[in-house]
Amino acid sequence: MDTQKLVAAWRAKLNGQTSKEVGQQKIHEACLWIYRWGFSTPSIIDSLSGAKSRGFSARLVSKGLLKSTLCPSYGGVKHAPAKVLTLTRPGIEVVEARADSKIVPYHDAIPFHQIVHDVLVQTITLEKIKTQQIKYFTARENRESRNQPGQKIPDAVWLIKGNIYAFELELSAKRSRELDTTCAGLINLVTNQNINGIIIYSPSDAIINRYKESLKIGNKIDFWKRQGTRWVSESTITVPDNFLSKIIFKKIEL
């Protein structure tokens, strides 16, 4: 192949963009990802960019766009990342220079207490983007409803082929009041918040079966309220007909 043909093939691969424009686009996508989630990891950012090594995220740290922080639970907690990435002021400006007024302002709050869960949510969402070209919203982008009783903030919201799904990753078992609160929140998502369905991933059959048992048609679920040092049932909600049919359960391997 002669030089002109090589250049033409390369330009076609870049969709008409120059190499510099492609590089700037990848930088923006990486910064936007962290802006929306609040933090990320080198492996996720490298995967997002298409990089085969950690060189891309490391370069963004060297450029002063990202800050790398050691994860205190690395080595002691299974699946905990070695490092987490947040945006510096220049990294924030990369995003906000092209953002509209609806974007949720950035703040770097690293959830070290649930770092494995939140990293896995990002990893799974990125896999969905690559395989199904979904659109998504993060928990922090939906947090404005957190203080409204009965409303649950999903781990993520996925838009798949015109349908809106609340995505939940369940790694640990919920029982009693905590399970009631979660189930009531899931019902409210579908009945009152324009969610078409719910997708629950878990590595545990027991967790999945507990949800299926709790969400059988006609079951009563308590709304709990704290009174002094005690929790009391304030009211109940009945599981609607066919509600379980709106939930997709998936067992995953970690």
Side-chain angles (χ1 to χ4, degrees):
M1 184 179 289
D2 61 31
T3 302
Q4 288 185 334
K5 288 183 178 179
L6 281 171
V7 171
W10 178 246
R11 285 177 175 169
K13 185 177 181 180
L14 298 180
N15 295 318
Q17 295 178 299
T18 66
S19 296
K20 183 177 180 179
E21 288 170 338
V22 171
Q24 291 298 318
Q25 180 64 26
K26 285 187 176 183
I27 290 172
H28 180 265
E29 289 174 353
C31 290
L32 180 60
W33 181 274
I34 296 175
Y35 194 104
R36 296 183 68 185
W37 291 99
F39 81 100
S40 197
T41 67
S43 61
I44 291 173
I45 295 304
D46 289 337
S47 179
L48 175 69
S49 72
K52 294 182 179 179
S53 69
R54 293 196 171 186
F56 180 73
S57 60
R59 287 196 298 274
L60 297 189
V61 173
S62 297
K63 286 176 177 287
L65 298 175
L66 304 183
K67 177 184 177 182
S68 178
T69 301
L70 294 175
C71 181
S73 57
Y74 175 67
V77 176
K78 190 176 181 181
H79 302 300
K83 299 176 181 179
V84 293
L85 301 173
T86 52
L87 293 176
T88 61
R89 185 66 239 175
I92 293 172
E93 290 171 356
V94 166
V95 177
E96 293 183 345
R98 296 169 58 177
D100 60 33
S101 59
K102 296 180 181 179
I103 196 165
V104 177
Y106 177 77
H107 61 89
D108 57 344
I110 305 173
F112 284 124
H113 63 292
Q114 57 181 45
I115 194 71
V116 171
H117 172 275
D118 286 11
V119 168
L120 286 172
V121 169
Q122 289 191 39
T123 301
I124 294 167
T125 298
L126 182 55
E127 289 173 356
K128 278 288 184 182
I129 291 170
K130 291 184 173 184
T131 58
Q132 293 187 253
Q133 297 183 329
I134 69 166
K135 294 183 179 181
Y136 71 95
F137 294 96
T138 69
R140 67 180 296 271
E141 291 173 317
N142 292 286
R143 196 156 283 134
E144 66 273 8
S145 62
R146 177 176 293 279
N147 293 324
Q148 298 181 30
Q151 292 200 348
K152 177 174 175 54
I153 305 297
D155 292 329
V157 172
W158 294 347
L159 280 63
I160 307 175
K161 297 180 179 179
N163 291 312
I164 304 173
Y165 292 91
F167 170 65
E168 288 288 309
L169 175 64
E170 297 292 352
L171 300 181
S172 57
K174 292 181 172 66
R175 294 179 174 83
S176 187
R177 185 181 70 252
E178 187 181 14
L179 181 61
D180 282 346
T181 300
T182 300
C183 289
L186 294 177
I187 293 170
N188 186 64
L189 283 172
V190 173
T191 56
N192 297 317
Q193 296 187 54
N194 298 317
I195 297 292
N196 300 116
I198 297 164
I199 299 173
I200 297 177
Y201 281 22
S202 178
S204 166
D205 286 323
I207 290 174
I208 290 173
N209 290 334
R210 191 171 289 116
Y211 273 110
K212 289 180 177 179
E213 184 66 29
S214 297
L215 292 169
K216 285 182 177 179
I217 295 172
N219 277 5
K220 301 291 185 181
I221 295 174
D222 290 306
F223 280 110
W224 294 88
K225 182 179 181 180
R226 194 177 187 92
Q227 289 187 353
T229 59
R230 298 172 56 246
W231 287 92
V232 297
S233 176
E234 185 178 39
S235 60
T236 61
I237 185 174
T238 302
V239 178
D241 291 350
N242 301 319
F243 181 72
L244 268 179
S245 67
K246 298 180 184 295
I247 302 180
I248 299 170
F249 293 97
K250 182 175 180 179
K251 170 110 179 265
I252 59 173
E253 299 293 333
L254 297 181

